[in-house]
Amino acid sequence: VLNDFVDAPDFSLDDIYNFLEVLSREITPLQKRLYEATRNELSRRTGVIYYDCTNYYFEIEKEDELRRYGKSKEHRPNPIVQMGMFMDADGLPLAFCINPGNTSEQQTIQPLEEILANEFKLSEFIVCTDAGLASIDNRLYNTTEGRNYIVTQSIPQLPGRMKDWTLEKKGWKRLGDSNDATYDISELDLDREKEHLFYRERWFKEDRSNVKAYEERLIVTFSPKYALYQRQLRAQHIEKALGMIERRSEKSRQTQQDPRRLISTVKCTDDGEVANNTAMSLDVELIEKEKAMDGLNCVATRLEDSVWDILHVNGYRSEIEHLFRVTKTEFDARPVYLRREDRIRAHFAICFVALLLLKAFQKQVNEGLDKDERYSSEQIIDALAGMDYNMVRGTGYVPAYSATVLRSRCCETANLPIDRQIVLNRKMRQYLKALNKC
């Protein structure tokens, strides 16, 4: 593949492996320099930063110190490594860490924040994470030194009176209303209100996890559109569960999207003895509990900003999940075919650099465009990947692709006018010389 480039590099596979060993020792300084360079060029917004974790699998059977058996995001029975990553408010990767696959996600955020403070000189920010990373310890940590947090809160895991409050049907406000009208969400016409969002908020002071008088603001939202989707999905699951009961099918992995979770299985008699037959039926109690949660989401924070601002910031959290998808689908970051720990870490450092360059270029390409006109990172990758050239000996390079608005915009953004009818040899040499200076 490297030989297909206009300026084909001259190095061997052994040179690449040797480079990985060197790169593994410079990962933190590399991230620092990348941040400094892009901060000056792109005016990066770091007042709000987003954190999440994912994992990457290896097609091996025996684990080692780094590649460990853990909870795989893809449900694969392979050893994995874990990546934690911060993203800034522009959607650009900020910093990353690599941990053994069996590491608790909650233990990864504070060490990386220390790197941001010590190396990047970033200490005042709002951290936005999902519920899996939002331990009380991490929340308290992010209320010091000018930091704060917005985290997704699991409603079932709330203490009693806080959970009861989130499930109340009365006293809801509609986001965007200029008056103080309140609603009973059990009486709403969901189809009519599906484009609106309803919310409740209040501060709680609770003794939680040995933390005395910990005060926190909860904002719980109700989305009629999401409630309708969940009800439709559950109806399908109930239908499938009834089919499983009829077939007496017991083998199934119970996940949140598995119809098997709605089946109650009894294998003992009333006397506690082993039953010859298994009684299977719908778990009505569980179904009712799920119905009570339809359309609900909850965030926790200690900020005093408006509800709209907090929900707007939290809504951008899905972008970091998209960054991970890009590494796995567009960059083919897994499975990883390296064995040594230093080379594995360097592999992910290269993925991080590629991701940062892609997102920075995407930001520049989309500058000045309306929201519905902006190009996705996948569209940009496809456009660039298809820009092949035929070489005319002694003359130059002729584009062997169809011109598009996006490809022209990419060339304009990069200040490389190579989408014309022909690029003369001397011009191509000038462009390559300019690129090598970057």
Side-chain angles (χ1 to χ4, degrees):
V1 176
L2 293 176
N3 292 329
D4 293 337
F5 285 92
V6 172
D7 186 24
D10 183 19
F11 50 76
S12 66
L13 182 60
D14 287 336
D15 294 328
I16 295 176
Y17 286 136
N18 292 334
F19 167 73
L20 292 177
E21 298 171 26
V22 176
L23 178 59
S24 68
R25 298 192 294 268
E26 304 295 330
I27 289 178
T28 298
L30 171 66
Q31 295 181 76
K32 176 184 176 182
R33 291 292 298 274
L34 286 171
Y35 167 69
E36 292 172 346
T38 53
R39 178 188 60 187
N40 296 332
E41 290 291 330
L42 301 173
S43 301
R44 300 181 65 170
R45 296 180 296 162
T46 55
V48 178
I49 58 177
Y50 299 81
Y51 185 75
D52 203 356
C53 292
T54 193
N55 47 55
Y56 300 85
Y57 68 90
F58 292 73
E59 292 187 335
I60 58 174
E61 296 181 358
K62 185 178 179 180
E63 62 180 1
D64 54 28
E65 290 299 317
L66 181 62
R67 300 174 293 179
R68 305 296 295 269
Y69 286 107
K71 188 175 181 180
S72 171
K73 304 286 185 180
E74 297 155 327
H75 307 291
R76 288 178 175 269
N78 302 95
I80 56 177
V81 299
Q82 180 195 89
M83 172 187 277
M85 184 165 62
F86 271 114
M87 177 190 80
D88 67 19
D90 292 304
L92 301 180
L94 183 61
F96 80 99
C97 60
I98 296 296
N99 302 296
N102 62 348
T103 305
S104 169
E105 292 183 350
Q106 295 183 356
Q107 299 174 3
T108 64
I109 185 170
Q110 292 185 28
L112 195 53
E113 284 191 49
E114 290 296 321
I115 292 178
L116 293 183
N118 297 331
E119 302 294 336
F120 291 49
K121 307 306 178 186
L122 292 175
S123 58
E124 296 185 5
F125 43 73
I126 298 168
V127 177
C128 192
T129 70
D130 64 16
L133 293 153
S135 66
I136 293 297
D137 183 51
N138 286 339
R139 297 187 201 193
L140 288 174
Y141 181 80
N142 281 306
T143 56
T144 61
E145 300 180 5
R147 294 191 291 267
N148 215 310
Y149 64 84
I150 301 173
V151 300
T152 303
Q153 172 63 55
S154 169
I155 295 177
Q157 294 180 7
L158 283 170
R161 71 188 185 99
M162 299 169 75
K163 180 180 177 180
D164 292 341
W165 172 81
T166 62
L167 297 178
E168 290 178 6
K169 303 300 182 183
K170 297 181 179 180
W172 292 76
K173 295 182 179 180
R174 187 164 60 186
L175 193 64
D177 280 2
S178 57
N179 54 39
D180 293 328
T182 60
Y183 300 82
D184 183 334
I185 59 173
S186 65
E187 298 178 353
L188 292 175
D189 183 335
L190 299 187
D191 283 309
R192 186 175 181 180
E193 297 285 355
K194 64 181 180 181
E195 299 304 323
H196 292 112
L197 187 68
F198 297 80
Y199 72 94
R200 305 180 75 218
E201 62 163 327
R202 64 164 290 185
W203 289 81
F204 281 95
K205 184 176 287 187
E206 289 280 339
D207 294 341
R208 297 168 60 183
S209 301
N210 298 322
V211 178
K212 291 290 184 180
Y214 179 73
E215 192 170 21
E216 191 172 53
R217 180 186 182 191
L218 292 185
I219 301 173
V220 57
T221 62
F222 174 74
S223 167
K225 185 176 183 179
Y226 188 46
L228 287 171
Y229 167 75
Q230 288 181 302
R231 291 182 183 182
Q232 181 183 17
L233 188 63
R234 187 181 302 104
Q236 296 174 358
H237 288 176
I238 290 175
E239 184 179 354
K240 291 181 180 178
L242 289 172
M244 291 178 177
I245 293 173
E246 185 177 351
R247 298 190 304 271
R248 305 192 63 78
S249 174
E250 299 184 39
K251 294 183 178 180
S252 181
R253 182 170 57 209
Q254 294 190 49
T255 66
Q256 194 59 33
Q257 301 302 322
D258 188 344
R260 182 68 181 81
R261 78 187 188 281
L262 303 178
I263 300 176
S264 174
T265 303
V266 180
K267 296 186 178 182
C268 294
T269 65
D270 292 338
D271 297 329
E273 299 177 357
V274 177
N276 294 326
N277 299 316
T278 300
M280 302 174 65
S281 63
L282 284 178
D283 191 335
V284 178
E285 183 179 353
L286 176 60
I287 292 173
E288 291 301 318
K289 286 182 179 180
E290 287 193 4
K291 285 182 178 179
M293 301 285 295
D294 283 350
L296 295 180
N297 278 297
C298 185
V299 296
T301 184
R302 298 186 79 175
L303 292 169
E304 297 183 0
D305 298 64
S306 70
V307 172
W308 191 94
D309 287 337
I310 290 173
L311 296 179
H312 177 71
V313 167
N314 186 66
Y316 197 59
R317 187 172 47 82
S318 60
E319 183 63 23
I320 194 169
E321 298 173 0
H322 175 256
L323 295 185
F324 287 135
R325 284 198 300 273
V326 170
T327 65
K328 294 179 179 181
T329 57
E330 305 297 332
F331 293 172
D332 294 327
R334 66 6 171 187
V336 185
Y337 300 104
L338 296 166
R339 290 181 295 176
R340 286 177 37 174
E341 180 175 333
D342 56 349
R343 293 176 178 176
I344 292 171
R345 292 182 182 275
H347 164 80
F348 289 110
I350 293 174
C351 292
F352 175 83
V353 173
L355 187 61
L356 176 58
L357 293 176
L358 171 63
K359 298 302 292 185
F361 187 63
Q362 180 188 8
K363 181 180 178 181
Q364 293 176 319
V365 168
N366 288 329
E367 188 172 352
L369 296 179
D370 293 334
K371 187 175 182 179
D372 57 346
E373 297 177 331
R374 295 173 185 169
Y375 298 98
S376 67
S377 53
E378 290 84 358
Q379 288 175 311
I380 292 175
I381 290 174
D382 288 341
L384 296 178
M387 294 181 69
D388 294 326
Y389 290 81
N390 292 326
M391 183 177 180
V392 180
R393 187 176 298 276
T395 303
Y397 300 84
V398 178
Y401 57 87
S402 300
T404 65
V405 174
L406 175 54
R407 284 171 174 160
S408 296
R409 192 169 182 87
C410 288
C411 291
E412 180 182 348
T413 301
N415 195 25
L416 290 172
I418 56 175
D419 58 332
R420 298 173 182 174
Q421 186 173 2
I422 190 169
V423 182
L424 299 178
N425 285 329
R426 59 181 180 82
K427 277 292 184 181
M428 186 64 79
R429 287 194 293 269
Q430 291 177 6
Y431 297 146
L432 293 174
K433 186 177 180 180
L435 288 173
N436 289 331
K437 290 181 180 179
C438 295

